[in-house]
Amino acid sequence: MKPLFSLDRVVADLAAPVHPADVHLRPGEKEGTWQEGERTVQVLSIPQTATLAQCLEPIRQALASGQLPTLALVDEAGMATGIVLPHRLLEAFVALAHNQSVLLSTLMDTMSEAITIVDSHNIVQYWNRAAETIYEIDRAQVLGTSLDEHFASESIRLLDALRQGTSVHRVYHIPRPDSHVLINAAPIRQGGQIIGAISIEQDITELVRLNEELAHTTAHLHNLQQEMSRFQAADDPFYAIKGHSASIQAAISSAKKVAQTDATVLIYGESGVGKELFAKAIHQASRRREKPFVAINCGAIPAALFESELFGYQGGAFTGAEKKGKPGKLELAHGGTLFLDEIGELPLELQVKLLRALQERQFYRVGGTEPITVNTRIIAATNRQLEQMVAEGRFREDLYYRLNVFSLEIPPLRARREDLPELVQIFIHEYSVAHEQAVPRIPSEVMQALFDYSWPGNIRQLRNVIERLSILQENGVISPEHLPSAIRMQSEPIAPATFASPVSGYTAPAAPLPASAAPLAPYPQRAGQTDKERVIAALERTYGNKKAAAALLGISRGTLYNKMKKYGLDGESFRWN
């Protein structure tokens, strides 16, 4: 007989051939007789295509009368095709039980997850090798004992499956102070009755430890940045946000106003526009500036760890030093500001817990029983359309309105192109210092290519491109071939919109803008500044790019050339020309 591992094996594999005339079965009845020589044997008719699983119930009923039945296999016409003797049936089930036991043991010891199986009385029946390693408890000490003898009852999630019949999937759990796992647990049902439960636990202790180290390092970095901000810009926390365009200045003005309150702020903006920079500046400009600024990226932390990251956990620590557990970000930000970046990435089940904590201003640590009350200001940020996510059921409406007390939209770089020259100058000087080299010259054609590009990655992408150019520059000059191919190959230059020149009264003809382009704001005139000084300043800000300088001045390029000739600037050499 072939090795038997499953009840799906057809029972015909166990049968011996029989002459149909020796088996007597009445139509429509399950029982009959088989004439074995001089002996008449009672038989139970079974379809020849039946599996062992399908035979279980008839066999169980026959066993109730006190004997293991002889099976007569019949075809579709009701004719007997084979006989399964009782000893063959018993041998098959014994072999099946033995093989399944070996298979189960091999499977469990092959898996890297800790597996525990208990019976209906919470007595451990299986405890695999990974469980021995993770919990440092030998199998011989656990098998046949109650799980309560080795773990506190309140920390055994398996009991929920056993007593309440509930299943859990990838739930963060701390069965012991020094153990962190993701647990899957489910009841084992026979019919409608729970006969046991199984848990599969993935050890993430090392992952949690590394995450804590990263969190501590990040918090330390934030503290250093906070101290630098206080030292460098005591008068203006928004000093780090560069640009003089109308759109960015409007965003800064709104941020300064809301910073004076404790209102919850929801910052909208594409990836790379500087949402965290605004959040830090709002904190530094608020009454909470002396308290912590704590940031958490809702999209970067695994969902299973987010709850403990936000609320902390109770009891124990990895080194054994922190016996009171680990405080969460919400607790660490008490009195200060909690920045929830990428809030749109938060799973729905965690949105409920966050909403409850925000509404009640108190929460429980994972595994804790005492409520913790906090006074924390919330600033959230997203690059997603939350209203659309609410309509699609992917973001809770009540949480959206709880966060959207004051919305602040940060413009993308393509909507503030007039800030490009200033940003380029800042970044090129920064990387020149970092690389210990002279500030390279940027020819006008390179500046024009940067000016025409749509910058989908915004300030972050611009910074990366400038660092690339700083590295690739040769002999103090950045060449067009040093630009990334996406910028070199773009073919839709920005077309100037209609700008009224305060100097000449000339209005540039309107031209259609490409979808990615945005109009430039006129270059502001400082008090007492002459027209010649304005022209020179615009040329310097645009690195000698005549088209960009004309746009900043609100005049045509032809008018700019006339002014340069008039003021004797046509032969002047600008350092970025």
PDB file of all heavy atoms in Angstrom, residues 9-29:
ATOM      1  N   ARG A   9      -7.733   9.870   0.482  1.00  0.00           N
ATOM      2  CA  ARG A   9      -7.391   8.646  -0.259  1.00  0.00           C
ATOM      3  C   ARG A   9      -8.665   7.829  -0.516  1.00  0.00           C
ATOM      4  O   ARG A   9      -9.492   7.658   0.395  1.00  0.00           O
ATOM      5  CB  ARG A   9      -6.393   7.852   0.571  1.00  0.00           C
ATOM      6  CG  ARG A   9      -5.869   6.602  -0.089  1.00  0.00           C
ATOM      7  CD  ARG A   9      -4.781   6.929  -1.095  1.00  0.00           C
ATOM      8  NE  ARG A   9      -4.072   5.713  -1.479  1.00  0.00           N
ATOM      9  CZ  ARG A   9      -3.032   5.233  -0.808  1.00  0.00           C
ATOM     10  NH1 ARG A   9      -2.581   5.865   0.259  1.00  0.00           N
ATOM     11  NH2 ARG A   9      -2.432   4.133  -1.227  1.00  0.00           N
ATOM     12  N   VAL A  10      -8.829   7.328  -1.735  1.00  0.00           N
ATOM     13  CA  VAL A  10     -10.033   6.543  -2.035  1.00  0.00           C
ATOM     14  C   VAL A  10      -9.942   5.189  -1.344  1.00  0.00           C
ATOM     15  O   VAL A  10      -8.877   4.550  -1.285  1.00  0.00           O
ATOM     16  CB  VAL A  10     -10.215   6.350  -3.565  1.00  0.00           C
ATOM     17  CG1 VAL A  10     -10.589   7.652  -4.228  1.00  0.00           C
ATOM     18  CG2 VAL A  10      -8.988   5.754  -4.195  1.00  0.00           C
ATOM     19  N   VAL A  11     -11.068   4.736  -0.809  1.00  0.00           N
ATOM     20  CA  VAL A  11     -11.091   3.499  -0.029  1.00  0.00           C
ATOM     21  C   VAL A  11     -10.891   2.277  -0.926  1.00  0.00           C
ATOM     22  O   VAL A  11     -10.524   1.190  -0.449  1.00  0.00           O
ATOM     23  CB  VAL A  11     -12.419   3.411   0.758  1.00  0.00           C
ATOM     24  CG1 VAL A  11     -13.583   3.097  -0.168  1.00  0.00           C
ATOM     25  CG2 VAL A  11     -12.330   2.392   1.882  1.00  0.00           C
ATOM     26  N   ALA A  12     -11.089   2.443  -2.249  1.00  0.00           N
ATOM     27  CA  ALA A  12     -10.914   1.330  -3.184  1.00  0.00           C
ATOM     28  C   ALA A  12      -9.483   0.810  -3.187  1.00  0.00           C
ATOM     29  O   ALA A  12      -9.234  -0.356  -3.542  1.00  0.00           O
ATOM     30  CB  ALA A  12     -11.318   1.755  -4.596  1.00  0.00           C
ATOM     31  N   ASP A  13      -8.498   1.673  -2.765  1.00  0.00           N
ATOM     32  CA  ASP A  13      -7.111   1.227  -2.712  1.00  0.00           C
ATOM     33  C   ASP A  13      -6.891   0.117  -1.689  1.00  0.00           C
ATOM     34  O   ASP A  13      -5.876  -0.586  -1.735  1.00  0.00           O
ATOM     35  CB  ASP A  13      -6.198   2.414  -2.387  1.00  0.00           C
ATOM     36  CG  ASP A  13      -6.134   3.417  -3.511  1.00  0.00           C
ATOM     37  OD1 ASP A  13      -6.506   3.067  -4.646  1.00  0.00           O
ATOM     38  OD2 ASP A  13      -5.719   4.571  -3.260  1.00  0.00           O
ATOM     39  N   LEU A  14      -7.842  -0.016  -0.756  1.00  0.00           N
ATOM     40  CA  LEU A  14      -7.702  -1.030   0.304  1.00  0.00           C
ATOM     41  C   LEU A  14      -8.461  -2.314  -0.024  1.00  0.00           C
ATOM     42  O   LEU A  14      -8.402  -3.291   0.738  1.00  0.00           O
ATOM     43  CB  LEU A  14      -8.221  -0.469   1.632  1.00  0.00           C
ATOM     44  CG  LEU A  14      -7.690   0.902   2.073  1.00  0.00           C
ATOM     45  CD1 LEU A  14      -8.400   1.344   3.357  1.00  0.00           C
ATOM     46  CD2 LEU A  14      -6.187   0.824   2.290  1.00  0.00           C
ATOM     47  N   ALA A  15      -9.215  -2.335  -1.134  1.00  0.00           N
ATOM     48  CA  ALA A  15     -10.162  -3.417  -1.406  1.00  0.00           C
ATOM     49  C   ALA A  15      -9.500  -4.636  -2.052  1.00  0.00           C
ATOM     50  O   ALA A  15      -8.515  -4.524  -2.783  1.00  0.00           O
ATOM     51  CB  ALA A  15     -11.286  -2.905  -2.300  1.00  0.00           C
ATOM     52  N   ALA A  16     -10.085  -5.798  -1.759  1.00  0.00           N
ATOM     53  CA  ALA A  16      -9.737  -7.049  -2.436  1.00  0.00           C
ATOM     54  C   ALA A  16     -10.853  -7.363  -3.428  1.00  0.00           C
ATOM     55  O   ALA A  16     -12.026  -7.079  -3.164  1.00  0.00           O
ATOM     56  CB  ALA A  16      -9.594  -8.183  -1.424  1.00  0.00           C
ATOM     57  N   PRO A  17     -10.543  -7.944  -4.580  1.00  0.00           N
ATOM     58  CA  PRO A  17     -11.590  -8.229  -5.565  1.00  0.00           C
ATOM     59  C   PRO A  17     -12.606  -9.255  -5.032  1.00  0.00           C
ATOM     60  O   PRO A  17     -12.293 -10.085  -4.185  1.00  0.00           O
ATOM     61  CB  PRO A  17     -10.814  -8.777  -6.763  1.00  0.00           C
ATOM     62  CG  PRO A  17      -9.529  -9.290  -6.196  1.00  0.00           C
ATOM     63  CD  PRO A  17      -9.208  -8.393  -5.039  1.00  0.00           C
ATOM     64  N   VAL A  18     -13.825  -9.187  -5.539  1.00  0.00           N
ATOM     65  CA  VAL A  18     -14.896 -10.080  -5.092  1.00  0.00           C
ATOM     66  C   VAL A  18     -15.808 -10.376  -6.282  1.00  0.00           C
ATOM     67  O   VAL A  18     -15.968  -9.543  -7.172  1.00  0.00           O
ATOM     68  CB  VAL A  18     -15.683  -9.444  -3.928  1.00  0.00           C
ATOM     69  CG1 VAL A  18     -16.449  -8.229  -4.389  1.00  0.00           C
ATOM     70  CG2 VAL A  18     -16.639 -10.462  -3.290  1.00  0.00           C
ATOM     71  N   HIS A  19     -16.407 -11.574  -6.277  1.00  0.00           N
ATOM     72  CA  HIS A  19     -17.377 -11.909  -7.323  1.00  0.00           C
ATOM     73  C   HIS A  19     -18.706 -11.258  -6.960  1.00  0.00           C
ATOM     74  O   HIS A  19     -19.200 -11.423  -5.834  1.00  0.00           O
ATOM     75  CB  HIS A  19     -17.542 -13.431  -7.433  1.00  0.00           C
ATOM     76  CG  HIS A  19     -18.214 -13.841  -8.697  1.00  0.00           C
ATOM     77  ND1 HIS A  19     -19.582 -13.724  -8.898  1.00  0.00           N
ATOM     78  CD2 HIS A  19     -17.704 -14.363  -9.861  1.00  0.00           C
ATOM     79  CE1 HIS A  19     -19.883 -14.147 -10.110  1.00  0.00           C
ATOM     80  NE2 HIS A  19     -18.753 -14.559 -10.715  1.00  0.00           N
ATOM     81  N   PRO A  20     -19.310 -10.514  -7.888  1.00  0.00           N
ATOM     82  CA  PRO A  20     -20.566  -9.811  -7.560  1.00  0.00           C
ATOM     83  C   PRO A  20     -21.653 -10.720  -7.020  1.00  0.00           C
ATOM     84  O   PRO A  20     -22.475 -10.294  -6.196  1.00  0.00           O
ATOM     85  CB  PRO A  20     -20.972  -9.186  -8.903  1.00  0.00           C
ATOM     86  CG  PRO A  20     -19.693  -9.051  -9.662  1.00  0.00           C
ATOM     87  CD  PRO A  20     -18.860 -10.237  -9.259  1.00  0.00           C
ATOM     88  N   ALA A  21     -21.657 -12.007  -7.470  1.00  0.00           N
ATOM     89  CA  ALA A  21     -22.728 -12.901  -7.039  1.00  0.00           C
ATOM     90  C   ALA A  21     -22.614 -13.283  -5.575  1.00  0.00           C
ATOM     91  O   ALA A  21     -23.593 -13.739  -4.950  1.00  0.00           O
ATOM     92  CB  ALA A  21     -22.727 -14.179  -7.900  1.00  0.00           C
ATOM     93  N   ASP A  22     -21.402 -13.088  -4.975  1.00  0.00           N
ATOM     94  CA  ASP A  22     -21.214 -13.453  -3.567  1.00  0.00           C
ATOM     95  C   ASP A  22     -21.715 -12.371  -2.607  1.00  0.00           C
ATOM     96  O   ASP A  22     -21.770 -12.588  -1.391  1.00  0.00           O
ATOM     97  CB  ASP A  22     -19.737 -13.717  -3.298  1.00  0.00           C
ATOM     98  CG  ASP A  22     -19.223 -14.961  -4.023  1.00  0.00           C
ATOM     99  OD1 ASP A  22     -20.057 -15.820  -4.362  1.00  0.00           O
ATOM    100  OD2 ASP A  22     -18.000 -15.046  -4.257  1.00  0.00           O
ATOM    101  N   VAL A  23     -22.040 -11.202  -3.131  1.00  0.00           N
ATOM    102  CA  VAL A  23     -22.499 -10.093  -2.294  1.00  0.00           C
ATOM    103  C   VAL A  23     -23.979  -9.866  -2.566  1.00  0.00           C
ATOM    104  O   VAL A  23     -24.398  -9.712  -3.728  1.00  0.00           O
ATOM    105  CB  VAL A  23     -21.692  -8.813  -2.587  1.00  0.00           C
ATOM    106  CG1 VAL A  23     -22.195  -7.664  -1.715  1.00  0.00           C
ATOM    107  CG2 VAL A  23     -20.207  -9.059  -2.344  1.00  0.00           C
ATOM    108  N   HIS A  24     -24.743  -9.832  -1.505  1.00  0.00           N
ATOM    109  CA  HIS A  24     -26.193  -9.667  -1.628  1.00  0.00           C
ATOM    110  C   HIS A  24     -26.598  -8.347  -0.969  1.00  0.00           C
ATOM    111  O   HIS A  24     -26.470  -8.188   0.250  1.00  0.00           O
ATOM    112  CB  HIS A  24     -26.932 -10.847  -0.981  1.00  0.00           C
ATOM    113  CG  HIS A  24     -26.514 -12.179  -1.528  1.00  0.00           C
ATOM    114  ND1 HIS A  24     -26.964 -12.685  -2.727  1.00  0.00           N
ATOM    115  CD2 HIS A  24     -25.641 -13.119  -1.034  1.00  0.00           C
ATOM    116  CE1 HIS A  24     -26.419 -13.857  -2.964  1.00  0.00           C
ATOM    117  NE2 HIS A  24     -25.596 -14.154  -1.924  1.00  0.00           N
ATOM    118  N   LEU A  25     -27.070  -7.428  -1.783  1.00  0.00           N
ATOM    119  CA  LEU A  25     -27.495  -6.114  -1.306  1.00  0.00           C
ATOM    120  C   LEU A  25     -28.884  -5.818  -1.826  1.00  0.00           C
ATOM    121  O   LEU A  25     -29.185  -6.034  -3.018  1.00  0.00           O
ATOM    122  CB  LEU A  25     -26.527  -5.018  -1.798  1.00  0.00           C
ATOM    123  CG  LEU A  25     -25.079  -5.092  -1.325  1.00  0.00           C
ATOM    124  CD1 LEU A  25     -24.225  -4.102  -2.096  1.00  0.00           C
ATOM    125  CD2 LEU A  25     -25.002  -4.821   0.169  1.00  0.00           C
ATOM    126  N   ARG A  26     -29.755  -5.371  -0.947  1.00  0.00           N
ATOM    127  CA  ARG A  26     -31.099  -4.978  -1.369  1.00  0.00           C
ATOM    128  C   ARG A  26     -31.069  -3.546  -1.894  1.00  0.00           C
ATOM    129  O   ARG A  26     -30.364  -2.703  -1.330  1.00  0.00           O
ATOM    130  CB  ARG A  26     -32.074  -5.085  -0.204  1.00  0.00           C
ATOM    131  CG  ARG A  26     -32.303  -6.513   0.257  1.00  0.00           C
ATOM    132  CD  ARG A  26     -33.292  -6.533   1.413  1.00  0.00           C
ATOM    133  NE  ARG A  26     -33.529  -7.907   1.868  1.00  0.00           N
ATOM    134  CZ  ARG A  26     -34.317  -8.206   2.888  1.00  0.00           C
ATOM    135  NH1 ARG A  26     -34.945  -7.233   3.561  1.00  0.00           N
ATOM    136  NH2 ARG A  26     -34.487  -9.472   3.232  1.00  0.00           N
ATOM    137  N   PRO A  27     -31.790  -3.272  -2.970  1.00  0.00           N
ATOM    138  CA  PRO A  27     -31.811  -1.909  -3.540  1.00  0.00           C
ATOM    139  C   PRO A  27     -32.258  -0.881  -2.505  1.00  0.00           C
ATOM    140  O   PRO A  27     -33.247  -1.082  -1.794  1.00  0.00           O
ATOM    141  CB  PRO A  27     -32.839  -2.029  -4.680  1.00  0.00           C
ATOM    142  CG  PRO A  27     -32.849  -3.485  -5.035  1.00  0.00           C
ATOM    143  CD  PRO A  27     -32.610  -4.218  -3.741  1.00  0.00           C
ATOM    144  N   GLY A  28     -31.482   0.202  -2.409  1.00  0.00           N
ATOM    145  CA  GLY A  28     -31.824   1.298  -1.502  1.00  0.00           C
ATOM    146  C   GLY A  28     -31.365   1.110  -0.080  1.00  0.00           C
ATOM    147  O   GLY A  28     -31.537   2.002   0.753  1.00  0.00           O
ATOM    148  N   GLU A  29     -30.781  -0.056   0.253  1.00  0.00           N
ATOM    149  CA  GLU A  29     -30.330  -0.285   1.620  1.00  0.00           C
ATOM    150  C   GLU A  29     -28.803  -0.278   1.687  1.00  0.00           C
ATOM    151  O   GLU A  29     -28.121  -0.618   0.722  1.00  0.00           O
ATOM    152  CB  GLU A  29     -30.860  -1.629   2.144  1.00  0.00           C
ATOM    153  CG  GLU A  29     -32.367  -1.640   2.313  1.00  0.00           C
ATOM    154  CD  GLU A  29     -32.847  -2.903   3.006  1.00  0.00           C
ATOM    155  OE1 GLU A  29     -31.976  -3.727   3.406  1.00  0.00           O
ATOM    156  OE2 GLU A  29     -34.071  -3.071   3.166  1.00  0.00           O
TER     157      GLU A  29
END
